[in-house]
Amino acid sequence: MNLQGKVKTINPIILRGAKNFKTRTIILDRTTSYEGKENINHTEITLLGDRADLPEQLQLQPGDFIKCDFNIEGKFFEYNGEEKFSQDVKVWKIEVVSKGTPPTSSQPANATK
């Protein structure tokens, strides 16, 4: 699956565990307008391992429009005796659609299969 959006925030790399496994999140602004109403939509994407370096490799900046290929991964876990659910949008590929300018109308900002 893939989705497109404008880079809002590029968070710093976080090192996890004894082996310093790299993780990073990016917030995408996927806000759209329909019949004069703005539909605010922000999506957090997760970059793992070597992919956490993609923002530097692609010279991503807030305002850039990107297309991401991703997998959705969810899991149940127990926290303080309650069953909780967590879900991640784990990105494995990023393409820069445009640097700091909106994509053309033929490039929708919606998720596709």
Side-chain angles (χ1 to χ4, degrees):
M1 292 192 288
N2 65 60
L3 58 83
Q4 292 185 16
K6 179 173 67 171
V7 175
K8 182 173 179 72
T9 306
I10 302 171
N11 294 314
I13 290 174
I14 296 172
L15 301 176
R16 299 187 186 272
K19 294 185 179 183
N20 289 328
F21 185 75
K22 292 193 267 186
T23 65
R24 171 182 262 170
T25 59
I26 296 175
I27 307 297
L28 294 183
D29 183 349
R30 301 179 58 237
T31 299
T32 57
S33 294
Y34 179 72
E35 295 183 355
K37 293 182 182 179
E38 189 173 63
N39 300 308
I40 296 173
N41 184 0
H42 294 95
T43 303
E44 180 181 69
I45 61 173
T46 303
L47 305 168
L48 301 174
D50 292 341
R51 290 178 178 91
D53 298 321
L54 283 175
E56 287 80 17
Q57 293 170 7
L58 298 172
Q59 299 178 350
L60 285 184
Q61 298 292 321
D64 292 347
F65 283 79
I66 62 173
K67 176 181 173 183
C68 303
D69 291 334
F70 65 94
N71 295 323
I72 295 177
E73 294 185 12
K75 64 180 175 181
F76 283 99
F77 61 96
E78 190 173 308
Y79 181 75
N80 289 339
E82 287 186 52
E83 188 174 57
K84 301 281 186 177
F85 181 76
S86 172
Q87 185 168 297
D88 288 316
V89 176
K90 294 186 178 178
V91 171
W92 48 272
K93 181 180 176 184
I94 295 177
E95 296 175 44
V96 177
V97 175
S98 60
K99 297 293 276 180
T101 58
T104 65
S105 60
S106 65
Q107 297 167 328
N110 297 327
T112 61
K113 287 186 177 183

